[in-house]
Amino acid sequence: MSGPKPIPVSPMSPTHRIHAPMGMGVARDVATRASSAPSRTARWLALGAFALYLATGGGRIVGSDEVTMFEVSRALLTGRVAVPEGATMQGRDGRFYSKNAAGQAVLAMPLVAAGIAIARAAHLGPDQRVLIERAVTSAFNAAVTALLLAAFYLALRAFGVGGPAALGAALLLGFTTPVWVYAKSFMAEPLQALGLLLALTGSARAALGERSGPRLAALGAFFAISAKLSMLPIAIVCLVPLLEAPRRTWIWPAAGVALALAGHAAYDMARFGSPFETGYGAQATAAAYTTPWWVGVYGLLFSSGKGVAWYAPVLWLAPAGMLAMTSGARPYAEASGERAMTRRRAFGMLAVAIVLAWLFTLFLYGRFQHWAGDGSYGPRYLVPLLPIGFIPVAFALDRMADARRVLALALGALGFAVAIGGVAIYFGAAMREVGDYPYQLPLDHPRFMEGSHFDPHDAPPIVHWRMLRRNVGEHLAGHAPRLGGADSGPRDPRTGLSAAEQRGLLHGLDFWSAYAAYEGLPAAPLVAIALLLAAFGAGALRRAARGASAEERAP
């Protein structure tokens, strides 16, 4: 006579079973504890990553797109949308408007308001005040990226990936790829990445039967599309797993897409008087797609200066992870019958969506005139895809053999070394170092920045490390840059620096503590604050690691 059938408690604790005689109340208690454990780990992960991102942050907003987006936030706080001339387009009324979408500017408004209040309270001059406002606002992407890593971890646990593997994949994503460098910026890529991740994983979780899945997918689609309109087709591709979910689950994601498009239309009307004028001009037409497809795709994937294969080398594990994800033979997938078929179909659609998102993005940007996203770090247009590309990496890491673990560590070490160069040296300074900026050729010239793109000697990772070695040596010898001299000359309104100061910062380090010291503030307490933040971050990540291991051992 057979005993009672086991009742699965939680997809986040797949090996645990509660027998019916124990009572449904006990089963619910155990399920609640099992589901809350990954949430606690995710919170420690987010706290630790945020602290480390703050410790290594640049505290600056100087890129053209960054400055204009910051000005949009400031304008919105006063009920306007016009901004000072810069990376802008002139409207019919003669005023200037950002070509970028408003999603990030709207979300950053509370932080911008806090920066304005802090700068006013400090009773500084106009030049110093705007630098303080930008420094506070620059923490926006640190918070977004920390939330991204937490959402990534929770999604992996919902998919049944073990705690240590899920945490390892999250840390590799956050600290061995360009994600770390973009966490220092005020560019829209981190918000796009968070949106695509939530859209994809929310859809897959809906296909697995989770009630929260459609709402997560809706939120993700809204974030991604609101941050940049070109994310619309990619976000829709990320909703493909909903094909395995009941039709009613499409209501929430459809609403998220519609709300984002309505926001774009309202913003376009406010800027240009038409819901169909995006501000990108010729770049939004076929005239901007003149690069031979094979050149752009090779450049984004494998070129020495922009190839994601070198900026995020752990992605080399993704094909093995894709096979593991779709094989239906995972050790943690202890399901049978209809539930096993549901999981297999959901993971299959998850894999299809990941591949389609990458292929579509390569197709979209491979022929784009500015496929390299110049004036930026690494393969800018692939950064939003890194989190979804790391989902199969996590499956590859889970219960891997020793040989693959060694390979993963080696690839992670290589990615960390590349990222450290980008974190410590501002990419704009590296462009000046090799003579790429100010630009020597028009943006639409076929040989524009050719050396940085395809010559290994001028590849940014190599240049960053050459500069880092030199600059650290100069700092140790007491020859750090100095800013704010009375005879430094007129200041660029975009960067807040004079030409002489910009040349001097070729020998600087891209940390807020370093910049403050260059301005004449005492270095010791600044470095101490940064080290305390880093220590707290490391401690929080240690707590996350203990939590992930405890989840694995939980009965």
Side-chain angles (χ1 to χ4, degrees), residues 448-459:
F448 176 73
M449 290 186 68
E450 185 178 53
S452 291
H453 295 163
F454 300 110
D455 184 350
H457 182 269
D458 287 336

Side-chain angles (χ1 to χ4, degrees), residues 2-14:
S2 60
K5 293 183 179 180
I7 302 172
V9 174
S10 165
M12 295 185 185
S13 184

Side-chain angles (χ1 to χ4, degrees), residues 287-300:
Y289 290 83
T290 57
T291 301
W293 188 78
W294 66 270
V295 172
V297 171
Y298 169 78
L300 287 167

Side-chain angles (χ1 to χ4, degrees), residues 155-156 158-161 204-205 207-208 241 244 322 324-330 332-333 340-354 391 395:
L156 293 176
F159 296 156
V161 176
R205 294 170 77 165
L208 290 170
E244 291 296 331
M322 197 71 75
M325 187 167 61
T326 58
S327 67
R330 300 297 297 159
Y332 48 76
M341 289 300 297
T342 298
R343 290 178 67 85
R344 189 170 293 117
R345 288 195 299 266
F347 284 168
M349 295 305 288
L350 177 64
V352 167
I354 292 171
I391 292 174
F395 279 80

Side-chain angles (χ1 to χ4, degrees), residues 51-358:
L52 288 172
Y53 290 149
L54 287 182
T56 58
R60 42 94 185 124
I61 293 177
V62 293
S64 298
D65 286 347
E66 294 177 293
V67 171
T68 303
M69 186 63 67
F70 170 72
E71 292 294 345
V72 172
S73 283
R74 295 183 77 196
L76 289 173
L77 285 170
T78 61
R80 298 177 292 104
V81 290
V83 297
E85 184 177 3
T88 54
M89 179 175 178
Q90 193 169 18
R92 297 174 183 174
D93 57 2
R95 292 185 292 181
F96 293 94
Y97 299 93
S98 170
K99 64 182 180 179
N100 301 106
Q104 177 169 319
V106 171
L107 291 176
M109 284 170 64
L111 202 54
V112 175
I116 292 173
I118 292 171
R120 285 177 179 171
H123 301 293
L124 300 173
D127 290 340
Q128 289 75 24
R129 185 179 299 174
V130 73
L131 293 178
I132 294 296
E133 293 173 10
R134 292 183 185 184
V136 174
T137 305
S138 70
F140 176 80
N141 273 338
V144 170
T145 309
L147 290 174
L148 166 69
L149 298 186
F152 180 76
Y153 177 82
L154 288 174
L156 293 176
R157 296 297 286 124
F159 296 156
V161 176
L167 181 63
L171 293 176
L172 288 170
L173 171 64
F175 295 99
T176 72
T177 75
V179 164
W180 190 358
V181 178
Y182 279 82
K184 293 165 62 85
S185 77
F186 194 55
M187 302 174 80
E189 277 67 27
L191 186 59
Q192 295 168 28
L194 176 61
L196 294 181
L197 176 70
L198 291 177
L200 177 68
T201 58
S203 299
R205 294 170 77 165
L208 290 170
E210 289 193 35
R211 293 183 179 180
S212 63
R215 293 190 292 275
L216 287 173
L219 184 64
F222 175 75
F223 279 165
I225 299 168
S226 296
K228 192 172 187 178
L229 186 57
S230 63
M231 291 291 106
L232 173 61
I234 305 170
I236 291 175
V237 167
C238 288
L239 300 177
V240 161
L242 287 176
L243 294 173
E244 291 296 331
R247 290 185 180 179
R248 65 179 182 275
T249 59
W250 280 88
I251 297 175
W252 276 100
V257 172
L259 187 60
L261 292 177
H264 278 288
Y267 185 51
D268 292 342
M269 284 293 296
R271 291 184 296 172
F272 307 116
S274 168
F276 305 109
E277 175 55 70
T278 64
Y280 276 89
Q283 286 190 352
T285 69
Y289 290 83
T290 57
T291 301
W293 188 78
W294 66 270
V295 172
V297 171
Y298 169 78
L300 287 167
L301 293 178
F302 300 113
S303 68
S304 59
K306 289 288 182 176
V308 72
W310 321 121
Y311 281 91
V314 180
L315 276 177
W316 287 96
L317 297 175
M322 197 71 75
L323 289 175
M325 187 167 61
T326 58
S327 67
R330 300 297 297 159
Y332 48 76
E334 296 182 3
S336 60
E338 184 177 349
R339 183 168 180 265
M341 289 300 297
T342 298
R343 290 178 67 85
R344 189 170 293 117
R345 288 195 299 266
F347 284 168
M349 295 305 288
L350 177 64
V352 167
I354 292 171
V355 172
L356 287 178
W358 275 79

